[in-house]
Amino acid sequence: MADIPNWFAVCMGLGTVFVGLICIIIICKIMSIFFYKKEKPEKVSETADVKPKAVTDTAIENKEQIIAAVTAVCAEVMGKDISALRVVSFKKVNN
């Protein structure tokens, strides 16, 4: 059997990998063309009053207790002492 030079084996390996990656990219691009869903934009009638959403600053009931509970859970999960944690901001998320 003839010995294959090392440089040839390296070049063939790298070439195979990069050709394979390029083929995967091309297949992904073709698949995205077929499965692309174009969402239709919602039409806003001009007669309707368009009002921007106002940010409502509603008070959170029992805020101190909620912060204490969340901090205790975070300290337990992270394995730290609760006095090592500091709450910088706590806001209500509106959906």
Side-chain angles (χ1 to χ4, degrees):
M1 286 192 2
D3 289 331
I4 298 174
N6 290 339
W7 63 268
F8 184 73
V10 170
C11 290
M12 287 298 290
L14 288 173
T16 303
V17 168
F18 285 113
V19 167
L21 290 174
I22 291 170
C23 289
I24 290 173
I25 292 170
I26 292 171
I27 291 171
C28 288
K29 293 287 186 182
I30 292 171
M31 294 292 283
S32 68
I33 291 171
F34 287 122
F35 293 108
Y36 178 71
K37 291 183 180 180
K38 188 172 183 179
E39 295 182 17
K40 296 178 181 177
E42 295 180 14
K43 293 183 179 179
V44 178
S45 63
E46 294 179 10
T47 58
D49 292 333
V50 178
K51 297 179 183 177
K53 289 185 177 180
V55 177
T56 57
D57 189 19
T58 58
I60 300 173
E61 297 177 17
N62 303 330
K63 186 173 184 177
E64 291 81 17
Q65 293 175 355
I66 294 172
I67 292 174
V70 170
T71 307
V73 170
C74 290
E76 183 69 28
V77 169
M78 294 179 355
K80 292 186 176 183
D81 187 30
I82 195 166
S83 62
L85 298 178
R86 184 178 61 158
V87 178
V88 176
S89 176
F90 195 83
K91 296 179 182 178
K92 183 177 180 181
V93 178
N94 295 328
N95 290 336

